[in-house]
Amino acid sequence: MTDDEGSDEEDGSSDGDVDLSQLALEEIRLRYQEESDRRTSVESKIGTVLTVDAIIVSVVSIFSSLNIMHYAAMAVALISVVNGISALWVRDYHRPGLDEEDYLQYIDDPPEPVRRELVKSYLTVITGNEETDDPEMFFKGNRTRNDEKLKKLDQCLKLTAASLALVILHPVPTLI
């Protein structure tokens, strides 16, 4: 192309160039969205386990002659419920970016520094600021929060399975 045809090769913005700052921002947004989807998925699964626990407690409580296995099954299911509710109690997820009024300071800035700040904001929200020695700056990232919820889900699943096993095995002591 000649200069008369409006070539953009002078300023380095030809079609073959890739804006790495924009690519990094898009990638970190996808990572943030993955953590957000992960949170939704884990919380949904915990809700399902809580429903199963409620069914176990309801079904077991209708037995006319409750034995020790029934009480144990209900107790384990209730422990699972408490565990699940404590996992759902976590509300301090962080959102990337600045306060709305802080964005105005970037209105006249070139895009690269703004993207850099946004990428740093997303990274901090995802990973947290857990390595700081300053207690006022410390916070858990969304990934850590999701990992904690996943551990609680695993505990709930094990407790619910134990409760179901107790319900299924309740006639065994009378058979022995």
Side-chain angles (χ1 to χ4, degrees), residues 13-28:
S13 60
S14 68
D15 292 338
D17 289 344
V18 176
D19 184 356
L20 295 179
S21 65
Q22 183 64 32
L23 186 64
L25 181 58
E26 289 173 15
E27 179 63 27
I28 200 67

Side-chain angles (χ1 to χ4, degrees), residues 47-97:
T48 302
V49 172
L50 292 177
T51 302
V52 171
D53 289 331
I55 291 170
I56 291 170
V57 171
S58 299
V59 168
V60 169
S61 66
I62 63 172
F63 289 129
S64 59
S65 59
L66 295 175
N67 64 24
I68 191 76
M69 297 287 267
H70 291 123
Y71 289 119
M74 287 195 305
V76 171
L78 289 173
I79 292 169
S80 177
V81 167
V82 169
N83 199 23
I85 289 172
S86 72
L88 294 176
W89 196 265
V90 175
R91 297 275 186 230
D92 62 343
Y93 279 84
H94 302 282
R95 301 189 76 180

Side-chain angles (χ1 to χ4, degrees), residues 38 42 145-154:
R38 185 172 170 228
V42 170
R145 293 286 185 204
N146 289 337
D147 290 344
E148 291 171 351
K149 284 187 180 203
L150 198 58
K151 287 178 187 173
K152 293 270 190 179
L153 171 62
D154 188 50

Side-chain angles (χ1 to χ4, degrees), residues 27-44:
E27 179 63 27
I28 200 67
R29 281 182 182 155
L30 288 173
R31 299 265 173 115
Y32 175 79
Q33 187 61 45
E34 285 174 4
E35 285 302 320
S36 180
D37 293 345
R38 185 172 170 228
R39 173 188 179 189
T40 303
S41 174
V42 170
E43 287 179 350
S44 174

Side-chain angles (χ1 to χ4, degrees), residues 98-131:
L98 303 169
D99 293 331
E100 288 79 17
E101 61 271 2
D102 291 337
Y103 279 104
L104 292 176
Q105 72 182 345
Y106 293 118
I107 203 105
D108 295 322
D109 290 351
E112 288 79 13
V114 174
R115 287 188 200 124
R116 180 175 179 76
E117 289 302 312
L118 285 172
V119 167
K120 284 175 24 182
S121 175
Y122 274 100
L123 279 172
T124 303
V125 164
I126 293 169
T127 61
N129 197 7
E130 299 174 33
E131 284 133 28

